[in-house]
Amino acid sequence: MTRSRPGWIFPAAILLVGINLRPSMAVIGPLLDRLQQDTGLSDAGAGLLTTLPVALIGAILLGAGRMRVLLGERGGIALGLALILISDAGRGLWPGAHVLLATALSGGIGIALVQALMPAVIRHRGGRRTAGLMGLYSTAIMGGALMSGMVGPWLAQAWGWPVALGLWAGPALAGLLAWRGVAEPRAAAISRAPSRLHLSRSLRAWLLLAFFGLGTGAYTLVLAWLPSFYTRLGWSAQGAGGLLGAVTFAEVMAGLAVSFWIDCAHDRRPALFCAIAALLLGMLCLALAPLGLAWPAAVLAGLGIGALFPLSLIVAMDHGEGSDEAAAIAAFVQGGGYVLAALLPLLAGFLRQNLADLAPVWWLMALLCLVLWLIAVSLRPGDRIGPSV
């Protein structure tokens, strides 16, 4: 990468790439009942629309080192964006249950490629700005969810749900062009992660994986089922989409706060405790008074999720000595973490299909917040994952 380019170009490219990593999932939630009615998808099948891409993200991230060697950062991220573009366009052109599931697979692969490779690029190029750039990247991801979750129901009402799903090919094209412009063809590839780090043998690595997975599980759970939860309670699709918009707006605000502040904080734990407390309160509001406390629940859950997502990545990368170790840790943590996170929306789908109620899921997430708290206590500043002997 040349140093002669203005300093804002790389952050701008991160922003344009990041906003494309959630619309294909976030737009589904507010339209889920209508999609099921028109396509015949069961509750379990509808849950797969979120579970499949999240599980793929995890599986591919576990092989991030091989992806970096095989594709390179520039080519791999461009391929991921192209797959997202094709998947979004396919949903608009050929609507149907089989296409929805197939594009959940292809879009999930595209999202996974970007998320497998982008942290290493940010750590390599960010230097002292790495934590802030990771916060910006995470905030862009949540911003894409905000836009799609809020705009999708209105687009569906005006032009039908195929258009509401397919129009997100436009931002994907913009992200692809931005990335092609910022990444030089002859940029040196970042070396593969050092083999001396045997993360599967490290208890700390597994704790970081569980922390990321449970926090991201709260995100996928809310993304997939919160709008449908409220439409079953009598809300309109637009109202439920607005509630999801409140969640994601709070996520963006929390993510921005993290990106601006986190470089100044040596100990990340106070921020982690605040995020977990907000998420816990949000889950309790959903479980105890979903109608009376709908908006406080949305804001609290969004603040917690929005802070936990970048913080869990930043804390994981803090455990590596350099960009190679940080990239290896981030890939391991995200890979297994996304597989763990994929289980929660799938579990929620089975519960709703058999119990016709999602309240037990909010209680379960509240209990998992206590697990997050216990893990956060152990994440002392300065700790590293050393080489296995």
Side-chain angles (χ1 to χ4, degrees), residues 60-257:
I60 291 176
L61 276 163
L62 289 173
R66 293 185 181 90
M67 293 294 173
R68 291 166 68 196
V69 174
L70 180 64
L71 300 172
E73 286 73 29
R74 178 180 184 267
I77 291 173
L79 175 60
L81 289 167
L83 285 172
I84 294 169
L85 190 162
I86 292 168
S87 300
D88 289 339
R91 288 177 169 184
L93 295 173
W94 301 287
H98 295 301
V99 172
L100 287 174
L101 291 170
T103 53
L105 284 169
S106 59
I109 293 170
I111 294 166
L113 286 172
V114 177
Q115 293 199 198
L117 300 171
M118 186 62 82
V121 176
I122 293 174
R123 180 66 183 260
H124 182 69
R125 292 199 58 186
R128 294 181 179 178
R129 298 189 302 159
T130 294
L133 288 173
M134 282 300 299
L136 176 65
Y137 168 63
S138 303
T139 302
I141 293 174
M142 293 180 287
L146 170 64
M147 290 187 294
S148 56
M150 290 191 68
V151 174
W154 297 100
L155 292 174
Q157 185 179 37
W159 294 303
W161 62 261
V163 173
L165 301 186
L167 279 180
W168 301 103
L173 177 61
L176 177 59
L177 294 175
W179 181 249
R180 298 282 295 182
V182 78
E184 291 185 357
R186 291 188 295 273
I190 304 169
S191 63
R192 73 182 69 187
S195 59
R196 65 190 184 91
L197 272 184
H198 298 286
L199 296 172
S200 62
R201 304 176 191 174
S202 169
L203 175 61
R204 174 53 61 95
W206 285 103
L207 287 174
L208 291 169
L209 185 156
F211 191 83
F212 178 85
L214 293 177
T216 305
Y219 173 75
T220 58
L221 180 64
V222 169
L223 185 69
W225 290 110
L226 183 72
S228 183
F229 177 62
Y230 275 94
T231 56
R232 289 286 181 95
L233 293 176
W235 288 40
S236 66
Q238 290 75 22
L243 192 65
L244 183 61
V247 173
T248 46
F249 181 77
E251 289 172 2
V252 170
M253 293 299 101
L256 285 173

Side-chain angles (χ1 to χ4, degrees), residues 243-285:
L243 192 65
L244 183 61
V247 173
T248 46
F249 181 77
E251 289 172 2
V252 170
M253 293 299 101
L256 285 173
V258 168
S259 66
F260 283 118
W261 168 82
I262 198 62
D263 283 326
C264 303
H266 176 62
D267 190 345
R268 321 291 197 192
R269 287 179 296 177
L272 292 173
F273 295 146
C274 290
I276 295 167
L279 177 59
L280 174 60
L281 289 173
M283 293 300 104
L284 291 176
C285 289

